[in-house]
Amino acid sequence: MTSTDIQPAHGVEAIRQVLAHTPDNPGCYLMKDAAGQVIYVGKAKRLKARLGSYTRPPASHTYYTNKVEAMKAKVAAVEFVVTASDKEAVLLEHTLIKRHRPRYNVELRDDKSYPYFRLALADDFPRLSLVRRPNPADGARYFGPFDSAGAAKQTLRMLQRIFPLRRCADAALKNRVRPCLDFETGRCLGPCVGAIDREGYQQLARQVLEFFGGGGRRLAAEMEARMLAAAAEERFEDAARLRDRLRALQSTLERQQVSLTDGSQLDAVALHDAEGALRLAVLKVRLGRVEDSRVFEFESEALSPAEVMGQALLSLYATAPPPPLILLSHLPEEPELLAEVLAERAGRSVELRRPRRGDKRGLLELAMINAGQPRAAQDDDSGPALATLARKLNLAGPPRRMECVDISHLGGRLTVASVAAFEDGRPRKAGYRRYKLLGQEGAPDDYASMAQALERRLSGDDPPPDLLIVDGGKGQLAVAVDVLTRLRPAQAPALAAIAKGQAPGEPDRLFAPGRKNPLNLAARDRALLLVMRLRDEAHRFAVEYHKLLRSKALKRSILDEIPGVGPGRKKKLLTAFGSLAALKRASAREMVEQAGLDRPTAGRVEAFLAALDTLEGPQ
């Protein structure tokens, strides 16, 4: 990797500095902020030309160009990696995005892992189970992923009725001497006690493969023939078991909705511009049936729709092979090159197509409709809780996006504020914020700290939440009302405050503006528990920030955390005192006299370094 670091510069100037040393080869480039964090990874056929394009003003202003401009303003350094071909650049870009998780790139990731069916074909008696992380090297076959773990478990129970494979672990299979309850209830054929031989069991496993491959109707016809034959031979118990399995299979087949009549295997992937953000919907069609639909939201990416689509496809098919045909609402940059990369992953050809008419256009339009819908709440408990909050706080609707502001300090020093964000009852990490409030050294002033934190949160470009919660009682709530009245009275969010119970064992209390008493919420009310989870997450985030600041005390870069101390003042301080340890022993007066700092900055440096030695935990 080649890195250029000539003179400290920011924004476009930092990009211009690296241009003189950038080759015109294919490769990837990494943009970093002042803290050294990678904020964007890009690829290019010609690195010099691509980086040069960032130095020119945008031809028009759209959500995409505005985000690019915001990203460029944060750039402090640029690194690049030269590759031997365009294809290598595509693969390297995906690897670097997964490694660094840059703020302005797209990576399809959720807060949870998704379940897959695993059929262990290498075993003499294969087991069908649910797993979270497929391992392509173990010789098993995987089917999925399922968006809902509950739906996957329900499907597994259904499959157990149709194909009674064992559920027990390998160790239990080897050591069992008596059949289990599954055998007694007809949900397993008893390979552990020799009730079925290897060949008969393997045939059942092959039927599972055929079912997942779309051969369910042929299996139903074969099962019906075997049932009739068993009845004709007066093997009535066998006929009854086959009858029950056939009914379960027919019931499953009847619930499947046919979308196409040609048995297509494809994915429809659509992007939707959602007022400054993008949503991407993926519709999976296997053997003519719509099997799954998933929606992803992006808010901070600084990419054009074509770039979003390209990076999204690489993430979508990083672990599972792509289907032969992928329908797209927006073609990615260099679609032929991307199709070649995906074909190598699949071991066969992959076509990227933007259909204009016919059934396939209809499927793509269905995916576009899904992309246009906001994501519904995925937590079963959040819907009633949000409805209760809306009713108790007299809101127009459920507060889908909530934020909580928490103030934390170490012995009255090193005061920080944290903001945790929930959307539809789940953490929304992109909305988390943290602030250093170094004007609050000495005796802690929670009200002044809360006012400063709210001003910083609400005076930026980020849209306000539907409901803003402050950690504290009626005093903090009054501060929040005053700040919102001054800053944005027209579009102020709804407000509430959460306070600890007055005595040990008493429930927390939720206050609303204009009310003397707390809201009437029981201790186990879902709405109160949801707000408590949000408050606890804000406090955890603040404590995590304290730990980060204290760990940085071991490094010279801790001075970078102090507002008003740039490279010049940092150099003066370390030149005057020789080391960070000596600087921590110095007083503010000595910093003024020996390093030439002004008194306010010297006071902030003294308070900041003193707070790092505080033995008490975060409050």
Side-chain angles (χ1 to χ4, degrees):
M1 183 175 290
T2 303
S3 176
T4 302
D5 186 12
I6 304 171
Q7 293 292 332
H10 286 82
V12 174
E13 287 304 315
I15 301 173
R16 284 199 179 104
Q17 282 188 358
V18 81
L19 274 177
H21 305 272
T22 305
D24 226 8
N25 301 70
C28 294
Y29 55 94
L30 299 88
M31 293 182 173
K32 296 184 175 183
D33 61 15
Q37 296 293 318
V38 176
I39 61 174
Y40 181 75
V41 172
K43 69 177 187 307
K45 284 185 175 181
R46 300 168 56 202
L47 284 168
K48 191 180 189 72
R50 174 58 65 87
L51 287 177
S53 68
Y54 288 101
T55 63
R56 297 187 289 272
S60 61
H61 288 280
T62 64
Y63 78 90
Y64 157 60
T65 56
N66 290 339
K67 287 181 179 179
V68 171
E69 292 300 301
M71 178 192 73
K72 289 195 301 187
K74 294 180 172 64
V75 175
V78 180
E79 296 180 351
F80 57 81
V81 185
V82 176
T83 59
S85 66
D86 297 343
K87 187 190 299 185
E88 284 188 16
V90 172
L91 296 173
L92 178 61
E93 179 192 37
H94 180 60
T95 300
L96 292 174
I97 290 172
K98 288 181 68 67
R99 180 187 304 165
H100 297 288
R101 294 190 170 183
R103 175 182 176 184
Y104 291 101
N105 282 98
V106 163
E107 184 190 0
L108 304 186
R109 57 180 186 271
D110 290 335
D111 294 333
K112 61 178 181 178
S113 56
Y114 289 91
Y116 291 76
F117 285 126
R118 178 182 184 272
L119 185 61
L121 292 176
D123 298 342
D124 288 340
F125 300 99
R127 176 190 179 201
L128 184 65
S129 59
L130 277 176
V131 298
R132 289 281 180 175
R133 298 191 180 278
N135 178 14
D138 65 1
R141 287 288 301 274
Y142 292 90
F143 309 94
F146 282 79
D147 190 49
S148 166
K153 291 176 182 177
Q154 182 179 4
T155 303
L156 182 61
R157 288 193 292 269
M158 175 270 298
L159 290 174
Q160 203 70 34
R161 295 175 58 197
I162 304 171
F163 310 106
L165 300 178
R166 68 181 176 97
R167 292 193 297 173
C168 58
D170 294 342
L173 176 69
K174 293 177 181 177
N175 299 319
R176 188 176 296 279
V177 294
R178 297 176 58 187
C180 66
L181 188 60
D182 279 352
F183 176 77
E184 300 294 341
T185 57
R187 294 179 182 269
C188 179
L189 296 179
C192 56
V193 293
I196 184 174
D197 60 12
R198 179 181 180 279
E199 180 55 37
Y201 194 96
Q202 288 280 346
Q203 181 181 359
L204 188 63
R206 288 192 291 271
Q207 290 178 354
V208 175
L209 289 177
E210 186 173 353
F211 174 81
F212 279 114
R217 300 195 181 280
R218 196 197 67 78
L219 282 175
E222 178 186 316
M223 202 175 293
E224 183 178 13
R226 291 171 55 201
M227 177 191 70
L228 295 175
E233 296 171 4
E234 298 186 357
R235 292 184 288 110
F236 298 116
E237 291 186 0
D238 291 342
R241 282 194 292 267
L242 288 167
R243 178 202 61 203
D244 294 341
R245 290 175 56 192
L246 176 62
R247 286 177 178 173
L249 178 56
Q250 288 173 334
S251 175
T252 302
L253 294 174
E254 288 171 1
R255 287 197 298 266
Q256 294 176 334
Q257 299 298 316
V258 177
S259 299
L260 296 175
T261 58
D262 59 358
S264 298
Q265 297 194 62
L266 59 88
D267 284 353
V269 185
L271 272 174
H272 173 75
D273 178 6
E275 298 180 354
L278 289 175
R279 292 195 193 98
L280 181 137
V282 183
L283 205 66
K284 299 180 68 173
V285 177
R286 296 297 180 266
L287 292 147
R289 292 183 293 274
V290 176
E291 290 190 351
D292 192 17
S293 176
R294 295 166 67 184
V295 178
F296 303 86
E297 290 198 54
F298 315 118
E299 293 192 354
S300 60
E301 79 295 330
L303 307 171
S304 66
E307 291 175 303
V308 170
M309 185 63 78
Q311 292 186 7
L313 291 176
L314 289 173
S315 289
L316 275 172
Y317 306 114
T319 55
L325 176 61
I326 305 175
L327 309 179
L328 303 174
S329 62
H330 298 74
L331 285 177
E333 295 181 332
E334 305 175 272
E336 297 83 4
L337 179 61
L338 186 58
E340 185 178 346
V341 172
L342 295 177
E344 289 185 356
R345 292 183 178 179
R348 50 167 164 70
S349 64
V350 174
E351 181 185 359
L352 304 180
R353 187 194 307 175
R354 188 178 182 186
R356 301 292 184 181
R357 61 185 64 84
D359 291 341
K360 291 180 173 58
R361 178 65 189 181
L363 275 175
L364 184 60
E365 288 177 351
L366 179 59
M368 294 172 70
I369 292 173
N370 285 328
Q373 302 300 316
R375 296 184 72 175
Q378 297 181 19
D379 188 341
D380 293 339
D381 293 332
S382 64
L386 295 175
T388 299
L389 283 175
R391 186 174 66 256
K392 293 288 186 179
L393 295 170
N394 295 320
L395 306 181
R400 292 191 60 238
R401 181 169 174 178
M402 303 191 302
E403 294 182 6
C404 180
V405 181
D406 180 42
I407 304 299
S408 185
H409 55 83
L410 289 168
R413 298 183 175 182
L414 195 59
T415 304
V416 301
S418 65
V419 178
F422 274 17
E423 189 166 303
D424 293 327
R426 292 189 168 211
R428 182 181 174 276
K429 298 300 178 69
Y432 282 35
R433 299 289 183 269
R434 57 193 188 188
Y435 309 107
K436 291 185 290 291
L437 309 177
L438 294 182
Q440 309 298 329
E441 294 88 356
D445 187 341
D446 286 347
Y447 293 161
S449 298
M450 180 62 73
Q452 184 180 347
L454 290 171
E455 287 173 359
R456 293 179 65 177
R457 165 61 186 92
L458 297 172
S459 60
D461 296 330
D462 290 341
D466 300 325
L467 175 61
L468 181 62
I469 307 231
V470 294
D471 183 23
K474 290 187 286 185
Q476 283 83 355
L477 184 59
V479 169
V481 170
D482 179 65
V483 170
L484 264 65
T485 302
R486 288 187 284 108
L487 289 182
R488 49 170 79 217
Q491 45 247 119
L495 281 174
I498 182 169
K500 291 285 188 182
Q502 292 179 319
E506 288 190 5
D508 290 358
R509 298 163 297 156
L510 195 64
F511 292 92
R515 289 178 56 114
K516 179 180 179 181
N517 297 320
L519 300 180
N520 183 21
L521 291 170
R524 304 302 296 174
D525 191 286
R526 291 179 176 181
L528 181 60
L529 294 176
L530 177 60
V531 175
M532 290 170 61
R533 284 208 319 269
L534 176 58
R535 186 267 321 278
D536 293 344
E537 179 67 1
H539 185 66
R540 179 202 65 78
F541 193 49
V543 172
E544 186 180 89
Y545 192 26
H546 278 299
K547 291 179 181 178
L548 174 65
L549 294 178
R550 291 169 69 88
S551 68
K552 285 188 175 182
L554 302 175
K555 305 175 183 178
R556 289 163 62 101
S557 62
I558 188 64
L559 296 178
D560 296 330
E561 299 292 332
I562 307 176
V565 178
R569 285 174 172 168
K570 182 170 65 173
K571 183 177 180 180
K572 289 181 180 179
L573 286 169
L574 294 174
T575 300
F577 295 97
S579 68
L580 184 61
L583 178 60
K584 290 170 69 174
R585 293 193 294 268
S587 66
R589 181 177 56 81
E590 291 172 326
M591 295 180 200
V592 173
E593 294 174 352
Q594 300 181 38
L597 264 63
D598 59 272
R599 290 187 179 277
T601 302
R604 286 198 299 271
V605 174
E606 180 186 36
F608 185 89
L609 296 179
L612 295 172
D613 292 329
T614 305
L615 295 179
E616 294 111 329
Q619 299 177 359

